[in-house]
Amino acid sequence: MVRVGCAGWSLPREYADDFAAQGTHLQRYASRLSCVEINSSFYRPHRPQTYARWAASVPDDFRFSIKVPKQITHVQRLRDCAAALDEFLAQCGQLGDKLGCLLVQLPPSLAFEEQVAEDFFRCLRERFVGHVVLEPRHASWVEAEPILLTHRIARAAVDPSRIATDITPGGWRGFRYWRLHGSPRIYHDAYGAEYLAHLRLLLAQAASDAEVWCIFDNTASGAATGDALRTIAPPENPPL
């Protein structure tokens, strides 16, 4: 299974005709792409009713990736998070089966501490059994692989790379997740045809034994939508 989508469901004008003509932006987006990453949950909570409305507006096989709030990752820095996790999961849990995964992005200043990581992921797994992907941004997290495997936590592949270990997916191998921010100008530039062709091969290979997601976050100038469309259905190849 390969899912390709964007961070958010904005539809730039130049790609409007590639999507359904009717419906909300989310409904139109979901007519072509199979997943979306919600980053706004990192900054502010969404009401349970909002998540339920989103879930009701997309096809049965569509999935959401929800970014864990910064209160948990950046303020509390993974410590004593039970209450905050309960509140967050009560909200996004309204997505039901359409909650595809949780994204845990860590601040660059947060170094790996074995006991803190173990306590956090154990606490999370007591509450959530679905896919979880970690994006660490401190090099010391290379030491976390045994904990990630124990708790079935995937580690994201990131472009541009922030640390040496995020060039390829890591952690638990049953779920693999790419986050692509644009290059050479991060968040703005589109990827070239050669890059996307190589990416498409990587995704297909990874999907032989795992569920695979690829999220384009180069949304500042609208490039993400075009990159996602070219990844799922390039002119010279059958669609993913």
Side-chain angles (χ1 to χ4, degrees):
M1 180 67 191
V2 177
R3 296 188 181 276
V4 178
C6 303
W9 51 77
S10 175
L11 299 179
R13 183 176 303 172
E14 61 265 39
Y15 299 110
D17 291 343
D18 293 291
F19 296 86
Q22 302 298 320
T24 65
H25 281 285
L26 175 57
Q27 289 171 325
R28 295 176 62 211
Y29 171 98
S31 71
R32 287 294 308 277
L33 299 173
S34 59
C35 64
V36 70
E37 183 182 278
I38 303 296
N39 285 296
S40 56
S41 55
F42 176 77
Y43 299 100
R44 64 185 186 277
H46 296 299
R47 295 183 304 165
Q49 300 95 311
T50 299
Y51 284 111
R53 185 176 72 250
W54 289 343
S57 67
V58 296
D60 290 343
D61 61 351
F62 189 89
R63 296 293 181 268
F64 294 84
S65 170
I66 309 298
K67 194 171 183 179
V68 170
K70 67 177 181 179
Q71 176 65 35
I72 293 171
T73 56
H74 288 54
V75 178
Q76 295 179 226
R77 298 171 72 85
L78 307 184
R79 297 175 182 269
D80 302 318
C81 292
L85 281 172
D86 286 340
E87 181 180 3
F88 169 62
L89 291 170
Q91 296 161 3
C92 68
Q94 295 302 307
L95 291 170
D97 291 342
K98 294 170 186 174
L99 175 52
C101 71
L102 301 180
L103 168 64
V104 182
Q105 185 190 63
L106 303 181
S109 62
L110 186 57
F112 173 68
E113 295 182 55
E114 182 175 359
Q115 194 58 56
V116 172
E118 171 63 33
D119 290 347
F120 173 75
F121 287 120
R122 184 176 65 250
C123 182
L124 177 58
R125 279 305 186 203
E126 287 171 353
R127 292 159 170 79
F128 182 73
V129 299
H131 292 316
V132 177
V133 59
L134 175 70
E135 184 185 335
R137 292 185 286 173
H138 192 285
S140 62
W141 280 83
V142 67
E143 302 172 20
E145 289 295 296
I147 288 177
L148 301 185
L149 293 172
T150 296
H151 294 287
R152 296 181 295 106
I153 309 295
R155 179 171 47 75
V158 181
D159 183 80
S161 176
R162 312 293 176 84
I163 55 178
T165 54
D166 67 6
I167 296 173
T168 58
W172 183 60
R173 304 298 287 174
F175 185 60
R176 301 180 202 178
Y177 197 102
W178 274 257
R179 297 192 81 223
L180 308 177
H181 302 294
S183 181
R185 191 171 50 142
I186 191 170
Y187 301 123
H188 287 269
D189 285 346
Y191 288 97
E194 184 176 351
Y195 181 96
L196 293 179
H198 179 62
L199 172 67
R200 185 183 171 86
L201 178 61
L202 291 177
L203 299 178
Q205 290 173 339
S208 65
D209 60 356
E211 182 176 341
V212 174
W213 285 48
C214 178
I215 295 293
F216 289 95
D217 191 28
N218 48 341
T219 56
S221 298
T225 307
D227 282 345
L229 291 171
R230 285 188 290 273
T231 300
I232 63 171
E236 69 279 9
N237 289 310
L240 281 171

